[in-house]
C-alpha cells in the first residue's frame, strides 16, 4: 500500500515552498512518521551529491535532513542546471544526460519524463509513510501546463492533495490565492485543498476576515498563518538575494571571541553554484561575509573566496572585465589569503582546456596556482573525505574540470601556494575542526587578532534551524487537518472557480 502524500505549491517562486516542505517534514518525523521529501524537477545551481554519487538539488538534501533520512536521487529525479539565458544541463536520476534549450525541453522532452518522475514518487511512497512534495514556481503557469511534471502534472498523476503557499509579505496574497485556483482546469482544481499564508507580520485577527471571505469565494480553507521569521532560508534555490539572507548568516549574533572580526569577501561570479559553501564561515562568531563585484571591495578583506560556477570560462572573463582578476593576482603575490572552490579553483590555475562547458578551447587562467584544467565530458560526482591542517574533512565534488596539479603544497584534492588555496571540494568548511584551523591560518596571515569560537557546530546549527521550521508548522498550522490531507487526499466536492484554464 502506498504511503500518504501532499504537494506544497506556491503562488509564486520564492513563496516559501522549500522551507514549508522542510517544516512539514520535520514536524512529521517528530511525530514518529517515516517521511521523505520529493521534488520532481528542480532548477538550481545549488546542488549536492548523495552517497551513491547522484547529483540532486541542495534543497532536497536539506529536506531529507529534516526527515532524518539519507538523500537519494529518487527525491529529485530531474535537476536543471542553467548554463546561460537559453539552455540548461539536464540531470536525470543524478547523472547529466545533455544540454537543452528551454524550447527544446518544454517542447517535448519534459513531458516524456512524467512517467519517470511518477515512478520515483511511487517508489518513495512504497517505502515511507508519507512523501511531502514540493512544486516549482506557480501551478497556474498556463503556458507550461501541457508539459508540466512538477506541479499539477505530478498532483494529477499521483492524486496528491495540493496546499498553496502565499507570501503575504509581498502583498496581494488574497488575489494570488484566488487567481491561482481560478486559472486551473476543473480537474486540477479538484486537488487544490486550500492555502497556507507565509511571512505574516502583525495581529492574525486582522487577517481572519479576509481568510473567511476567501473561503466563501473558493470553498477552500486556510491551513495556517505562519509568522515572519528571520533566517529560515536554508539551502534554497539560486540567487544572490537568497544567499545573502541565508539562515546561518542571520542567526549568529555573538561577538567575536578574539579582539578582531574577520572579513570575508566572496566574488559574485556569474552562474555562481553552491553559494552555501560560505554559510559555514558565516556561522562563526565574528566572521563577516559579504558578496562583492568590484576590486575596491577586496581591499579590506582578510579572505577572498572565489566560489563555484557553472561557467568557469565566463567567470574568468567577468573577473577580468571588472578588474577583479588583477586584484586577485596582487593579493596572491602579497601573500594575502585567497580560497578558490571548484570553478573558483580552476580560474586560479595556469590554463583551462574547455571543449565541453564553454567550448572555448584553450583559455589562460590567473596563473596563481600551478594547476592545469581539462574539461571532461563525464562529470565527477563524489563524496570524498580526508585530512587537512591536521583535521578530518568531508566534502563533495561536482565538476567537469579535471585538475592536474603541478606543484605547491597538497590541499585536499588541490594545492596551496603561500596563502592561495584551491580545491574542488564543496562543503569542506562544514567540518568544524578544519574550518577553525583554516580560519586561524587566515587570521595569522591577515594580521588579525581573530580567534575561532571553540564550540561552533555547523551541524548543530542546521538541526536547530530545521527544528525552528518544525516548530513553525506545529505552532501555527492546523496539523490535524494537514495530516488528514496527507492521509486521505483532498476533500471531496470542492467547488469549481471560473473561468478555469483556457482551452
Amino acid at each position: 500500500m502506498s504511503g500518504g502524500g501532499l504537494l506544497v505549491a506556491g503562488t509564486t517562486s520564492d513563496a516559501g515552498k522549500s522551507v514549508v516542505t522542510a517544516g512539514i517534514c520535520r514536524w512529521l518525523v517528530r511525530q514518529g512518521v517515516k517521511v521523505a521529501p520529493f521534488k520532481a524537477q528542480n532548477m538550481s545551481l545549488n546542488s549536492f551529491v548523495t552517497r551513491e554519487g547522484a547529483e540532486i538539488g541542495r534543497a532536497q538534501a536539506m529536506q531529507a535532513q529534516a526527515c532524518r533520512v539519507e538523500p537519494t536521487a529518487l527525491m529529485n529525479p530531474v535537476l536543471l542546471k542553467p548554463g546561460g539565458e537559453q539552455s540548461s544541463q539536464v540531470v536525470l536520476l543524478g547523472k547529466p544526460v545533455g544540454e537543452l534549450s528551454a524550447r527544446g525541453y518544454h517542447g517535448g522532452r519534459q513531458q516524456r519524463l512524467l512517467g519517470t518522475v511518477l515512478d520515483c514518487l511511487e517508489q518513495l511512497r512504497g517505502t515511507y509513510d508519507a512523501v511531502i512534495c514540493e512544486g516549482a514556481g506557480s501551478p497556474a503557469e498556463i503556458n507550461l501546463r501541457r508539459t508540466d511534471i512538477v506541479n499539477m502534472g505530478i498532483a494529477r498523476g499521483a492524486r496528491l492533495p495540493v496546499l498553496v503557499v502565499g507570501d503575504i509579505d509581498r502583498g496581494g496574497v488574497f488575489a494570488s490565492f484566488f487567481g491561482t485556483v481560478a486559472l486551473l482546469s476543473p480537474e486540477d482544481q479538484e486537488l487544490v485543498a486550500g492555502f497556507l499564508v507565509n511571512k505574516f507580520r502583525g495581529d492574525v485577527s486582522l487577517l481572519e476576515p479576509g481568510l473567511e471571505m476567501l473561503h466563501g469565494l473558493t470553498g477552500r480553507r486556510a491551513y495556517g498563518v505562519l509568522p515572519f521569521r528571520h533566517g529560515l532560508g536554508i539551502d534554497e534555490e539560486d540567487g544572490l538575494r537568497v544567499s545573502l539572507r541565508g539562515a546561518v548568516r542571520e542567526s549568529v549574533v555573538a561577538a567575536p571571541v578574539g579582539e578582531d572580526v574577520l572579513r570575508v569577501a566572496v566574488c559574485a561570479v556569474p552562474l555562481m553554484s553552491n553559494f552555501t559553501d560560505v554559510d559555514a564561515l558565516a556561522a562563526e562568531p565574528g566572521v563577516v561575509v559579504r558578496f562583492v563585484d568590484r576590486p575596491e571591495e577586496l581591499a579590506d578583506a582578510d579572505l577572498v573566496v572565489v566560489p563555484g560556477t557553472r561557467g568557469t570560462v565566463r567567470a574568468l572573463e567577468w573577473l577580468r572585465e571588472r578588474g577583479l582578476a588583477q586584484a586577485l593576482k596582487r593579493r596572491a603575490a602579497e601573500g594575502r589569503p585567497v580560497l578558490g572552490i571548484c570553478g573558483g579553483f580552476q580560474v586560479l590555475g595556469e590554463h583551462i582546456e574547455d571543449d565541453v562547458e564553454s567550448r572555448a578551447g584553450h583559455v589562460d587562467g590567473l596563473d596563481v596556482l600551478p594547476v592545469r584544467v581539462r574539461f571532461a565530458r563525464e562529470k565527477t560526482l563524489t563524496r570524498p573525505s580526508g585530512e587537512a591542517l591536521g583535521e578530518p574533512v568531508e566534502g563533495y565534488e561536482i565538476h567537469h574540470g579535471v585538475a592536474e596539479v603541478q606543484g605547491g603544497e597538497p590541499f585536499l584534492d588541490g594545492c596551496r601556494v603561500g596563502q592561495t588555496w584551491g580545491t574542488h571540494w564543496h562543503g569542506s568548511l562544514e567540518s568544524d575542526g578544519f574550518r577553525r584551523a583554516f580560519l586561524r591560518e587566515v587570521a595569522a596571515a591577515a594580521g588579525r587578532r581573530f580567534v575561532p569560537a571553540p564550540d561552533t557546530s555547523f551541524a548543530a546549527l542546521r538541526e536547530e534551524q530545521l527544528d525552528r521550521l518544525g516548530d513553525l508548522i506545529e505552532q501555527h498550522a492546523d496539523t490535524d487537518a494537514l495530516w488528514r490531507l496527507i492521509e486521505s487526499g483532498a476533500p471531496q466536492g470542492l467547488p469549481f472557480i471560473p473561468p478555469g484554464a483556457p482551452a
Side-chain angles (χ1 to χ4, degrees):
M1 180 180 173
S2 292
L6 174 69
L7 176 70
V8 179
T11 56
T12 61
S13 296
D14 201 29
K17 296 183 291 290
S18 294
V19 293
V20 167
T21 300
I24 293 174
C25 287
R26 178 49 61 102
W27 159 66
L28 284 171
V29 81
R30 293 196 307 207
Q31 308 308 307
V33 177
K34 189 180 178 186
V35 59
F38 179 79
K39 186 163 184 172
Q41 173 191 293
N42 202 346
M43 178 172 278
S44 180
L45 290 175
N46 199 20
S47 59
F48 183 75
V49 179
T50 68
R51 294 212 176 274
E52 72 267 30
E55 185 179 9
I56 65 172
R58 267 199 76 102
Q60 280 61 64
M62 176 268 289
Q63 290 161 357
Q65 188 177 346
C67 297
R68 298 183 179 139
V69 298
E70 192 67 34
T72 73
L74 292 176
M75 296 172 183
N76 179 205
V78 181
L79 173 64
L80 304 178
K81 303 194 72 176
E85 295 297 322
Q86 299 294 330
S87 68
S88 293
Q89 184 181 67
V90 181
V91 179
L92 180 61
L93 294 173
K95 303 296 180 184
V97 294
E99 198 91 12
L100 277 179
S101 68
R103 181 178 290 275
Y105 183 67
H106 290 288
R109 179 65 184 268
Q110 182 184 34
Q111 196 171 28
R112 293 198 295 273
L113 294 173
L114 181 60
T116 299
V117 300
L118 285 171
D119 181 61
C120 291
L121 176 57
E122 193 55 36
Q123 288 185 58
L124 289 173
R125 293 180 77 181
T127 305
Y128 292 89
D129 301 329
V131 179
I132 308 303
C133 307
E134 179 189 341
S138 161
E141 290 168 349
I142 53 180
N143 56 316
L144 302 176
R145 176 61 186 92
R146 184 178 61 83
T147 58
D148 170 51
I149 65 169
V150 65
N151 289 307
M152 300 314 298
I154 197 81
R156 284 269 291 280
R159 302 305 298 171
L160 293 173
V162 178
L163 183 69
V164 180
V165 177
D167 178 358
I168 197 169
D169 199 47
R170 295 182 174 195
V173 75
F174 292 116
S176 297
F177 281 145
F178 184 88
T180 296
V181 179
L183 278 177
L184 300 178
S185 68
E187 296 81 5
D188 286 350
Q189 287 193 25
E190 286 176 6
L191 296 172
V192 178
F195 313 107
L196 186 73
V197 177
N198 193 25
K199 302 181 187 175
F200 179 71
R201 307 172 191 251
D203 185 346
V204 176
S205 67
L206 298 176
L207 191 66
E208 286 169 353
L211 296 176
E212 290 170 8
M213 284 186 270
L214 184 67
H215 189 187
L217 289 165
T218 67
R220 291 158 175 85
R221 54 164 296 185
Y223 283 78
V225 177
L226 307 185
F228 187 95
R229 291 286 186 267
H230 285 284
L232 293 180
I234 43 180
D235 290 8
E236 291 192 88
E237 313 299 340
D238 296 303
L240 192 57
R241 182 172 58 84
V242 172
S243 182
L244 286 170
R245 69 143 198 260
V248 173
R249 189 168 295 109
E250 291 189 1
S251 64
V252 174
V253 294
V257 175
E259 296 178 48
D260 288 344
V261 297
L262 205 66
R263 296 171 177 84
V264 179
V266 184
C267 296
V269 296
L271 298 173
M272 180 166 42
S273 61
N274 290 72
F275 52 76
T276 46
D277 280 337
V278 298
D279 280 350
L281 293 177
E284 289 287 348
V287 175
V288 180
V289 177
R290 68 183 190 272
F291 287 79
V292 303
D293 59 4
R294 296 182 301 182
E296 309 88 76
E297 295 175 294
L298 304 189
D300 68 342
D302 303 308
L303 169 67
V304 174
V305 177
V306 188
T309 171
R310 170 83 165 87
T312 302
V313 170
R314 182 174 166 187
L316 254 175
E317 293 170 351
W318 182 87
L319 290 168
R320 288 186 167 120
E321 288 166 1
R322 290 179 172 259
L324 286 160
Q326 281 304 113
L328 287 167
K329 287 172 72 72
R330 278 197 303 273
R331 282 188 69 93
E334 294 165 0
R336 302 179 66 200
V338 176
L339 171 64
I341 302 173
C342 199
F345 167 40
Q346 294 167 8
V347 306
L348 297 176
E350 296 171 2
H351 68 251
I352 295 167
E353 292 289 341
D354 181 11
D355 297 318
V356 176
E357 190 176 78
S358 68
R359 297 181 175 86
H362 181 97
V363 178
D364 289 333
L366 299 188
D367 197 19
V368 294
L369 287 177
V371 175
R372 297 171 184 174
V373 176
R374 176 185 54 81
F375 272 66
R377 296 203 175 277
E378 188 170 337
K379 183 184 282 191
T380 297
L381 296 167
T382 62
R383 289 273 293 271
S385 60
E387 185 177 296
L389 304 179
E391 297 286 348
V393 194
E394 294 183 352
Y396 56 100
E397 295 185 52
I398 306 170
H399 54 92
H400 284 280
V402 178
E404 182 185 348
V405 178
Q406 304 281 311
E409 297 176 51
F411 175 64
L412 302 178
D413 71 323
C415 65
R416 69 176 286 192
V417 173
Q419 291 300 320
T420 302
W421 317 63
T423 176
H424 275 129
W425 290 23
H426 294 289
S428 63
L429 294 165
E430 295 180 19
S431 298
D432 296 326
F434 166 71
R435 182 181 65 254
R436 287 192 275 269
F438 176 69
L439 289 176
R440 281 193 290 269
E441 290 236 5
V442 168
R448 293 285 184 188
R449 290 170 295 182
F450 168 85
V451 178
D455 55 356
T456 301
S457 166
F458 189 74
L461 284 171
R462 277 287 171 84
E463 278 297 302
E464 181 185 308
Q465 292 294 81
L466 293 169
D467 277 331
R468 288 180 68 202
L469 294 178
D471 293 344
L472 206 62
I473 297 299
E474 191 167 333
Q475 295 166 12
H476 300 282
D478 186 340
T479 52
D480 289 341
L482 275 181
W483 178 245
R484 285 195 295 273
L485 276 187
I486 293 166
E487 195 174 38
S488 305
Q492 297 296 306
L494 292 169
F496 170 70
I497 308 302

